[in-house]
Amino acid sequence: MKLDRRRFMKLAGSGAACLSLGQLGVSLAPVKAYAAEMKISGAKEVVTVCPFCSVSCHVIGYVKDGKLVNTEGDPDYPINEGALCAKGAAMFTMTTSHHRLQKPLYRAPYSDTWEEKSWEWMFDRIARRIKDTRDKDLILKNGKGDTVNRLESMFLLGTSHAGNEECAIAHQAMRGLGVVHMDHQARI
Amino acid sequence: MNTASAPDTVERTLEIIRKRTPAYGELTDRFGSLFTASAKVCDEVATKGVAVPEVDPARVSSGVPVLVGFDFGLWREAFALSAERLIPVLCEALELEDTAAKELAAVFSDADTILGLVRARIEGDLQHFENTSLHFDATPSAVLLFALETVCSPVLRAAVQSMGESLSSLSWDEGHCPACGSTPSISQLSPKEFTDLDQLVGGGGKKFLHCSLCGHDWRFKRNACPSCGNDDSETREIFYVDDVRFEHIEACHKCGRYCLNIDMREFEPRPDLDALQMGLIHLDVHAQENRLSPLTATLWNTVE
C-alpha cells in the first residue's frame, strides 16, 4: 500500500509528533486481538530486608493483591548487589512452606507436647516470667554495700533488623529492668 | 552495559518476534529490513571510525549530556553514508510514493541539511523539523523526524560504543541519556553475574535504561520511575503476562507514564532491544488501555 493523498494529509497535520503505525496504513487489529487474549497481572515492588542473618541483605518482594508472590535480591543495595545466599534466595518459600509456624505454640516445662496459644496469652506469660524473674533475682546492692539494682539472670540478644531508635528503646527497657548482659546478633 | 545492535542479533530478535505469534508477521516483514540495515550501517561506521566526543565529567555531573554543543560536522561523512544506505530502505518500509521517496532522498543527500536536523533533534528543537518540512511538498515533519532519527541513530550508536568506559563510568542519575539527552524507549534488567563465591545465587537484575536514539544503556535506580523519579511502592506497579514474566510494563500511577522492561536474566539469547520493541506492542496496548502513556513515544508504541 502506497502513501496515498488522504494518509499524507493526515501525516502532514500531525506536526513533528511521532509517526504512528496507523498513519502508515498498518492495521494493529491482529496485535490488539493478541493483546486481548493475554492474562496480564500487576504486582508491586516492595524493598524489604532478609530476615535470616545480621548482614541484612535487601530483597525486593513482589506483592500482588496483598500477597507476596516472589522475592529477589535488591541489585541497588551495595552489600548484596542483587545476590543472595541459599537461605535468602529461598526466602519466598518461607512464607509459603507448610512447615512455617503460623500461630504461637507453647511447651510447658517438662512437657513433650506443644500447645497452641493466643498472642495475648503469650505476651501475658512472657511479662509474668520477666516480672517473676526480676522480683526473685534483682540484686540491689553489691558486696561493698553499693546500690547496683542488677539483674544477672536475664539476657537480651538484639537483632540487626532493628533500627537505631528501636535498639535504643530495647536497650533502655532492659536497663530499666536492671539487665546487664546484652549482646547483638551481628556479633554471632 | 553495551547492548548495541549487531545484524545477527537483529535477525535473531526478528525471528523471536515472528515465532511468538503470526500477529506480528506484517510488522516484521515490512520493517525488519530497516533494523537490519541500521545495524549494518552502525558496524560500517564503527569499522571506519568516528571522531570520539570528549567527555567532560564536570560538565556531565552538572546534568549536561555529552553531545550537547558537540560539533556534529566531524560526523558529516558518517551521516551521509548512513543516509545513502538507509533512506532507500526507509522509503520501502514506509511505502512512500515515488515523488515522496525522491524528495526524501533529496533532503538527505545534502549533508548540511542533515547536520542542521541532527542539531535540532539533539537540542529538542522540533519546530526546526516543521519549518524544514514547509520547504517540501511531500515530506511531512513527522516523516522528516522519523527519517532523521533513522539516519542518525546508527552513527550515534557507533560513536557511543567508541566512547566506552569514559561514558559508562559516568555518575548519572537522570532519566534521560547522558550521551545524547534523549529519553529511554525501553529498559532492561542486567543478566546474572557469576562470582567465585559458590555460596551466592542470583545477582544481576540491575536496571539499565536504553536510549531511544543512541542506544546507550545507563544504570538507573531499580525501583524508581525514570520519568518522575517516584520510588513509592504504592504508586508504582509492574505488569506482566502470566507465563512471560521476563517482559514487564513498569507503570507509575503518580505521573501516568510507563516504560517497558526486559529481564535479561530470563531472556536467552540476548535480543536487540530496538527491534524487540516492535514485538511488544501487545504490552503497549495493555498499558494504554489502562490510561498510561509511554515515557518516549516511538513508532511502535503510538498505537492509536
Side-chain angles (χ1 to χ4, degrees):
Chain A
M1 187 201 296
K2 293 287 178 190
L3 193 66
D4 58 24
R5 177 150 183 84
R6 191 170 164 213
R7 280 171 45 216
F8 172 77
M9 292 307 286
K10 214 171 149 187
L11 267 175
S14 64
C18 189
L19 269 182
S20 76
L21 290 166
Q23 288 170 320
L24 296 175
V26 177
S27 168
L28 284 176
V31 177
K32 286 183 176 175
Y34 175 61
E37 287 170 11
M38 310 232 132
K39 185 165 172 7
I40 294 182
S41 306
K44 287 177 177 159
E45 279 183 324
V46 181
V47 177
T48 185
V49 183
C50 175
F52 290 117
C53 83
S54 53
V55 177
S56 299
C57 294
H58 278 200
V59 171
I60 298 176
Y62 287 87
V63 180
K64 183 179 165 186
D65 302 327
K67 279 194 135 184
L68 187 68
V69 292
N70 198 12
T71 57
E72 63 177 83
D74 178 3
D76 290 339
Y77 191 59
I79 303 300
N80 58 313
E81 291 194 330
L84 290 169
C85 72
K87 281 172 74 181
M91 179 179 156
F92 174 61
T93 59
M94 189 182 76
T95 67
T96 54
S97 170
H98 65 279
H99 293 300
R100 183 190 172 197
L101 291 186
Q102 296 189 350
K103 288 178 179 165
L105 294 180
Y106 172 72
R107 195 181 70 181
Y110 309 110
S111 169
D112 60 359
T113 53
W114 292 94
E115 301 167 50
E116 199 175 296
K117 297 286 187 188
S118 69
W119 279 112
E120 212 165 272
W121 187 94
M122 281 290 176
F123 290 141
D124 283 348
R125 175 78 179 165
I126 292 166
R128 181 77 263 156
R129 294 298 299 269
I130 289 175
K131 177 78 168 61
D132 289 349
T133 303
R134 185 176 186 276
D135 288 349
K136 181 165 73 74
D137 295 337
L138 187 68
I139 300 165
L140 298 177
K141 291 187 185 296
N142 64 11
K144 293 183 207 167
D146 301 327
T147 301
V148 290
N149 293 334
R150 193 161 66 210
L151 181 60
E152 293 185 342
S153 55
M154 277 176 54
F155 170 76
L156 171 75
L157 180 67
T159 167
S160 53
H161 299 288
N164 272 348
E165 291 74 16
E166 291 164 313
C167 284
I169 289 170
H171 185 267
Q172 292 308 321
M174 290 302 109
R175 287 286 184 223
L177 292 171
V179 172
V180 288
H181 300 309
M182 288 185 245
D183 208 332
H184 196 270
Q185 177 199 4
R187 272 168 35 90
I188 297 174
Chain B
M1 194 162 131
N2 183 9
T3 56
S5 305
D8 55 339
T9 313
V10 170
E11 287 297 338
R12 199 169 54 218
T13 306
L14 294 172
E15 195 53 37
I16 291 169
I17 299 170
R18 280 188 201 104
K19 277 187 181 165
R20 185 199 293 266
T21 167
Y24 285 107
E26 185 191 346
L27 285 169
T28 48
D29 290 345
R30 185 167 163 185
F31 296 99
S33 55
L34 198 53
F35 288 106
T36 312
S38 176
K40 284 180 181 166
V41 170
C42 179
D43 274 0
E44 195 176 342
V45 171
T47 307
K48 288 188 172 177
V50 280
V52 182
E54 196 177 325
V55 178
D56 177 356
R59 192 163 169 262
V60 172
S61 66
S62 62
V64 183
V66 174
L67 291 178
V68 171
F70 176 69
D71 177 12
F72 290 104
L74 296 169
W75 296 346
R76 173 184 289 263
E77 284 177 19
F79 286 130
L81 177 124
S82 179
E84 189 188 326
R85 300 273 193 278
L86 294 177
I87 290 297
V89 187
L90 179 75
C91 292
E92 190 72 30
L94 298 188
E95 297 181 349
L96 297 182
E97 282 182 332
D98 286 349
T99 325
K102 278 179 186 162
E103 191 176 274
L104 196 63
V107 174
F108 282 88
S109 64
D110 179 27
D112 287 332
T113 306
I114 300 177
L115 290 176
L117 291 171
V118 171
R119 276 187 210 105
R121 172 63 182 79
I122 296 293
E123 289 162 13
D125 179 11
L126 295 185
Q127 188 62 44
H128 182 77
F129 286 85
E130 295 194 29
N131 296 343
T132 306
S133 76
L134 291 176
H135 300 297
F136 305 101
D137 294 329
T139 311
S141 55
V143 173
L144 192 61
L145 177 62
F146 185 72
L148 185 276
E149 289 179 344
T150 304
V151 166
C152 81
S153 177
V155 179
L156 263 58
R157 287 203 306 270
V160 160
Q161 284 170 44
S162 65
M163 287 158 77
E165 273 282 301
S166 62
L167 183 63
S168 60
S169 60
L170 290 173
S171 172
W172 184 264
D173 303 325
E174 310 292 335
H176 57 271
C177 178
C180 71
S182 301
T183 46
S185 54
I186 195 166
S187 66
Q188 59 173 315
L189 303 183
S190 63
K192 281 179 185 164
E193 292 164 12
F194 297 97
T195 67
D196 295 334
L197 292 169
D198 292 342
Q199 298 92 331
L200 295 180
V201 293
K206 297 181 175 81
K207 186 157 87 179
F208 286 81
L209 305 180
H210 182 78
C211 179
S212 54
L213 187 64
C214 72
H216 177 58
D217 297 274
W218 72 100
R219 179 89 186 267
F220 195 75
K221 200 175 164 192
R222 170 74 183 267
N223 63 335
C225 166
S227 176
C228 68
N230 173 33
D231 60 0
D232 172 25
S233 63
E234 286 302 311
T235 48
R236 291 186 65 252
E237 198 167 5
I238 309 293
F239 294 101
Y240 50 87
V241 177
D242 276 357
D243 51 353
V244 192
R245 295 196 170 208
F246 48 85
E247 295 170 350
H248 315 136
I249 303 165
E250 289 195 356
C252 175
H253 297 299
K254 190 176 169 192
C255 68
R257 299 274 180 181
Y258 74 91
C259 187
L260 300 186
N261 175 271
I262 303 297
D263 190 343
M264 295 295 187
R265 292 171 297 183
E266 309 281 338
F267 207 123
E268 273 293 331
R270 287 174 69 178
D272 176 81
L273 282 177
D274 294 307
L276 188 64
Q277 292 170 51
M278 186 169 57
L280 298 174
I281 299 173
H282 54 283
L283 294 180
D284 290 297
V285 169
H286 178 82
Q288 291 174 37
E289 279 174 357
N290 283 278
R291 297 182 177 185
L292 294 161
S293 53
L295 179 55
T296 305
T298 67
L299 179 60
W300 317 116
N301 62 28
T302 308
V303 294
E304 289 306 325

